[in-house]
Amino acid sequence: MDFRHSIHIKPLVRVLLVLALLALAGCGGSSSPSQRTPLTVVVNAPFSRSPYLGRTIENGVRLAEREVNANGIRLGNTTYELRIRTMDTALSPARAVANMRRAVGGHAVAVVDEGTGIDASRRIAAASGIPIGIVFQGGGGLVDPVTRPNVFRIAPTDHGLAFRLAEYLIPKGLKIGLLHDDSDYGAAGGRALAAAFSRNRSSVAIDETLPADALDLAPQVLRARRAGATALLVWGRPSTIASAVTAARSAGWNVPFFTPPTGNDPFVRQQLADHPAWVDGLTFAGGRLTAEVGSGPFLTFEQKYESAFGVDRVGVKKSAGASVVVLPETAMYAYDFVNLLAAAVLKAGSTDPRKITAALNEVSIEGANGDQRGFNHNNHEGVIDDDVYFARFHDMTSAPVKDDRLSATLPTLPQTR
């Protein structure tokens, strides 16, 4: 061989070897992100008006996105990956509707929603067949597999929360002041409470609507006191609950407080941080975080969540100085819905939102806490009404109560770092 030719052949051989290795690498595993087709999932949440709620929903969605995208979603010869787009409702139904129009215009395949404005926004999504996953608000009528086939929910229902609260409180012989604010969330809760206590009105001392934006609820709390209330059940935004507690305690009224899950929102403890004793005894109802298999699955989820986004601190400390953290309950619901969505895309074998919506009725997954999550043609609720427990605050952290059958079986999860 001519030496002059050999010095040109060796570089060519090296190039061919590199190309061959790249081709072989491309044959195994998933495709690189640059080769994937995006599937847009919109998060519609109140980022500006309720930052913690918006952020925890987004984080749950993004954690599921990372895990799904580790391998991508393979349909035929195409690999898809989820792309998250956030939109702020500012707790405004009108903004929620406008955001849904933007989601449809952006060809979203699904919307993960806090729940504000669903009565109107779901119609816009339905026209394009887009499924909506509600992960916070539990209002009755928001979900109906017959009239609203594109709406699903993974969150405790107001019906379940209210009836469990009635079941828990009525036998105690209390005269209960039912207070709810006039937000969408509070109004829906008020309706659920009215139904839950309808057969035991003798247990109700007063039923009153509170202005959601009021800074001082002293007049309303005073009316409840004069009506003979020996307990207050306050259903509303975190700011409403904090204001009601402040009004009672600053007047020297040590009445017990009961709330829906918003009583566990960090904002309540932040607002009452100068008076930690005012938080003691507040009892909230929420969705059970641990399954029959124990606390292992939820703690594993929490570790993944904290590895991805850091420790979610409340902003208060226990009396001994330990920082208090938030358990990622709402994030868990958002995470589970996105994983169900990915399973539905695979089941449908299509990225057509209508086919994905239909497939959501036929798939199930193991949720972040070890429970099975899934829907069917007759039931679009991902949390059953009986899975509601009660927890009571002491020294800025909560523990399941001991005087309720379900709650007494649950472990106290670590809430400090």
Side-chain angles (χ1 to χ4, degrees):
M1 178 183 293
D2 190 319
F3 179 74
R4 289 173 298 177
H5 291 174
S6 67
I7 61 174
H8 294 292
I9 290 173
K10 289 180 180 178
L12 179 60
V13 170
R14 283 197 293 271
V15 170
L16 291 173
L17 284 171
V18 170
L19 290 174
L21 288 172
L22 287 173
L24 286 171
C27 292
S30 60
S31 60
S32 67
S34 63
Q35 298 172 319
R36 296 176 181 176
T37 302
L39 294 177
T40 299
V41 175
V42 167
V43 177
N44 204 26
F47 294 98
S48 59
R49 291 293 303 277
S50 187
Y52 166 72
L53 179 57
R55 179 168 46 82
T56 194
I57 291 173
E58 179 186 0
N59 286 350
V61 170
R62 291 199 181 277
L63 182 59
E65 173 202 29
R66 293 183 186 187
E67 295 180 2
V68 169
N69 288 350
N71 293 311
I73 302 173
R74 185 81 173 182
L75 300 179
N77 295 322
T78 304
T79 300
Y80 297 88
E81 68 172 15
L82 302 181
R83 298 280 180 86
I84 307 305
R85 184 180 180 189
T86 60
M87 298 183 186
D88 181 20
T89 66
L91 291 176
S92 163
R95 285 278 295 274
V97 168
N99 290 348
M100 194 65 74
R101 290 196 179 99
R102 291 169 57 204
V104 171
H107 305 291
V109 296
V111 174
V112 181
D113 206 294
E114 170 264 342
T116 295
I118 283 292
D119 283 339
S121 64
R122 60 98 186 170
R123 298 176 186 272
I124 298 166
S128 298
I130 295 175
I132 299 171
I134 300 174
V135 295
F136 180 70
Q137 289 204 29
L142 295 183
V143 177
D144 187 315
V146 176
T147 62
R148 302 180 175 197
N150 67 315
V151 181
F152 304 83
R153 175 162 51 202
I154 302 182
T157 68
D158 289 358
H159 177 274
L161 292 165
F163 274 80
R164 283 282 284 134
L165 281 162
E167 178 184 65
Y168 180 56
L169 294 176
I170 290 170
K172 296 180 182 297
L174 298 166
K175 287 290 186 179
I176 305 161
L178 299 180
L179 310 178
H180 65 87
D181 68 24
D182 56 8
S183 66
D184 281 359
Y185 179 74
R191 291 190 293 271
L193 289 174
F197 284 88
S198 62
R199 296 185 179 180
N200 299 90
R201 295 306 295 180
S202 60
S203 296
V204 178
I206 189 172
D207 189 342
E208 183 153 338
T209 302
L210 311 174
D213 295 325
L215 298 177
D216 182 10
L217 294 177
Q220 293 86 353
V221 170
L222 178 59
R223 278 198 291 273
R225 189 174 190 176
R226 288 176 173 172
T230 58
L232 294 182
L233 200 174
V234 185
W235 195 304
R237 295 175 181 172
S239 56
T240 299
I241 293 169
S243 294
V245 173
T246 298
R249 299 295 185 254
S250 59
W253 190 21
N254 196 33
V255 65
F257 274 86
F258 301 88
T259 76
T262 43
N264 190 35
D265 189 289
F267 184 86
V268 176
R269 282 170 282 176
Q270 291 164 6
Q271 288 296 103
L272 303 176
D274 291 340
H275 302 278
W278 290 1
V279 181
D280 286 351
L282 187 153
T283 303
F284 65 88
R288 181 171 56 88
L289 299 181
T290 56
E292 286 81 359
V293 296
S295 59
F298 181 81
L299 292 176
T300 298
F301 167 74
E302 185 181 37
Q303 290 170 358
K304 293 192 297 184
Y305 183 88
E306 292 184 357
S307 295
F309 307 110
V311 175
D312 205 349
R313 300 186 188 278
V314 173
V316 300
K317 294 183 178 182
K318 289 176 67 68
S319 56
S323 293
V324 179
V325 302
V326 188
L327 298 174
E329 177 183 355
T330 303
M332 172 182 73
Y333 299 140
Y335 172 89
D336 285 352
F337 181 77
V338 174
N339 279 308
L340 272 169
L341 178 67
V345 173
L346 285 171
K347 173 71 175 179
S350 170
T351 60
D352 180 345
R354 296 183 189 280
K355 293 181 179 180
I356 295 171
T357 295
L360 277 168
N361 291 309
E362 302 176 4
V363 295
S364 64
I365 61 165
E366 182 178 294
N369 71 346
D371 277 336
Q372 285 296 116
R373 299 283 191 214
F375 312 106
N376 59 55
H377 293 280
N378 300 314
N379 186 2
H380 283 187
E381 300 286 2
V383 176
I384 63 174
D385 285 349
D386 289 343
D387 270 358
V388 171
Y389 81 112
F390 306 106
R392 185 168 294 132
F393 282 111
H394 175 70
D395 197 14
M396 290 297 184
T397 59
S398 65
V401 301
K402 299 301 182 185
D403 56 349
D404 171 69
R405 183 179 298 177
L406 170 63
S407 305
T409 66
L410 303 179
T412 299
L413 298 173
Q415 296 161 56
T416 59
R417 297 288 186 274

